Amino acid sequence: MGSAGVTAAADSAVGEQAPKRAPGPRKKAPEPPEKAAPKQPGKASAKKPESRLAMVRRARRINRELAEVYPYAHPELDFRNPFELLVATVLSAQTTDLRVNQTTPALFAAYPTPEDMAAAVPEELEELIRPTGFFRAKAKSLLGLSQALRDDFGGEVPGRLEDLVKLPGVGRKTANVVLGNAFGVPGITVDTHFGRLVRRWKWTEQVDPEKVEAEICAIFPKSEWTMLSHRVVFHGRRICHALKPACGACPIAPLCPAYGEGETDPEKAKKLLKYEKGGKPGQRLSPPPDYPGLPAQPLGGDPAAS
């Protein structure tokens, strides 16, 4: 092959090669995972489940933050002694603490002691507690526990869980309320609000109240049990509602794995806040001195205010 043939063959070979890319900006390489955009508050990684140690640390941090948000957390039933707290807690089943607080002034005026209530005419007792609902069953429990206090405990409310749960109408939840707030004995109170929040926060998957109580007790020191109960219930009633939590106004949103289940817009979320957080009265007619909100209205008071 002559020189002309070699040149032609070389040109043909060059023509078969891919054309060179024109100079220009290079395509940006994808960011590595550690530099990706930050996750929304509370969204846990789907790839790496949270370890128990991490969950315990997160749970304790939530408790610390709630302590700063609700330094005034307290039992939301009005009472002046262990007997009044025991009766009010029994009445609080299937109704609000507000309705109980509106009902008990007349009740305790008529029956100030276990001996007085034990001797009550059932129909008259029923009529006094009618506003709390299920008044016949509740009257039966109140008569039974008052008679037991009179006959077995010298008219005094016992300060031991094993004695309290023997009283008619008294279970572990009621017993822990009385022990924690009337006797200073630490306890976890698993009511509706407490149970749904600790499941929402992934502290437990249990539904049975006794199993929930056992698992939460294992996470926190005993000294925190009573106040933890109040803080969680306060948060559930004021911000972390069952159907539409106010996520956008929640101070623990970055720690919550359920963030986004409710309203995330801050201005819209503020409109969902209740009680003192929403600028409205609380549930107690006689709240503690450090409560920053308004007292509730008596029965028959202004319904708009309560």
Side-chain angles (χ1 to χ4, degrees):
M1 180 182 299
S3 60
V6 173
T7 302
D11 290 343
S12 176
V14 170
E16 291 175 356
Q17 294 177 358
K20 293 184 179 179
R21 182 182 298 273
R26 292 187 177 184
K27 185 177 180 180
K28 186 177 180 181
E31 291 183 339
E34 62 270 18
K35 292 185 179 180
K39 297 181 292 183
Q40 291 295 321
K43 291 296 182 181
S45 171
K47 295 181 180 179
K48 186 178 180 181
E50 185 178 44
S51 68
R52 175 169 175 79
L53 178 59
M55 181 275 288
V56 169
R57 287 175 174 170
R58 180 172 58 83
R60 292 183 176 186
R61 184 177 171 191
I62 286 176
N63 181 42
R64 291 194 299 271
E65 301 228 357
L66 291 180
E68 295 183 6
V69 177
Y70 308 108
Y72 50 86
H74 58 270
E76 293 191 271
L77 291 168
D78 286 328
F79 70 98
R80 295 170 295 184
N81 54 58
F83 176 63
E84 290 190 357
L85 179 57
L86 177 60
V87 169
T89 306
V90 170
L91 291 177
S92 69
Q94 304 298 316
T95 190
T96 64
D97 287 355
L98 170 61
R99 183 49 56 93
V100 174
N101 293 334
Q102 292 172 327
T103 302
T104 50
L107 176 66
F108 294 137
Y111 312 112
T113 69
E115 291 84 356
D116 294 322
M117 191 169 289
V121 176
E123 292 76 15
E124 294 177 0
L125 178 59
E126 289 174 3
E127 192 59 32
L128 281 171
I129 65 173
R130 181 185 288 270
T132 68
F134 302 95
F135 57 92
R136 290 190 179 89
K138 291 179 180 179
K140 183 177 179 181
S141 294
L142 294 185
L143 286 170
L145 71 84
S146 297
Q147 291 163 3
L149 292 176
R150 178 195 62 192
D151 299 341
D152 302 332
F153 298 98
E156 299 292 333
V157 176
R160 300 194 312 162
L161 186 142
E162 53 265 39
D163 292 329
L164 284 167
V165 295
K166 293 178 183 177
L167 299 173
V170 177
R172 286 186 67 90
K173 184 191 84 169
T174 297
N176 279 327
V177 170
V178 173
L179 290 173
N181 298 288
F183 293 99
V185 178
I188 295 286
T189 302
V190 183
D191 72 350
T192 302
H193 298 288
F194 189 93
R196 67 178 176 80
L197 260 65
V198 297
R199 285 187 290 273
R200 182 173 276 173
W201 293 335
K202 307 299 182 186
W203 294 0
T204 181
E205 295 181 354
Q206 299 294 340
V207 176
D208 178 77
E210 288 194 29
K211 293 180 179 178
V212 172
E213 179 186 342
E215 291 203 358
I216 303 306
C217 283
I219 295 174
F220 296 92
K222 193 172 183 178
S223 60
E224 288 291 312
W225 291 353
T226 299
M227 287 308 301
L228 170 71
S229 299
H230 292 323
R231 293 164 191 153
V232 173
V233 171
F234 258 59
H235 194 63
R237 285 175 171 165
R238 287 150 177 77
I239 296 177
C240 196
H241 314 307
L243 298 180
K244 198 170 184 181
C247 295
C250 180
I252 61 166
L255 300 170
C256 181
Y259 174 84
E261 288 185 8
E263 179 58 66
T264 57
D265 180 84
E267 293 304 316
K268 293 180 180 178
K270 285 181 182 178
K271 297 178 181 179
L272 301 174
L273 302 180
K274 296 182 179 180
Y275 303 111
E276 76 279 358
K277 292 297 182 184
K280 299 179 181 178
Q283 299 205 77
R284 293 188 67 165
L285 277 65
S286 301
D290 63 342
Y291 178 61
L294 302 170
Q297 296 292 311
L299 198 62
D302 180 7
S306 59

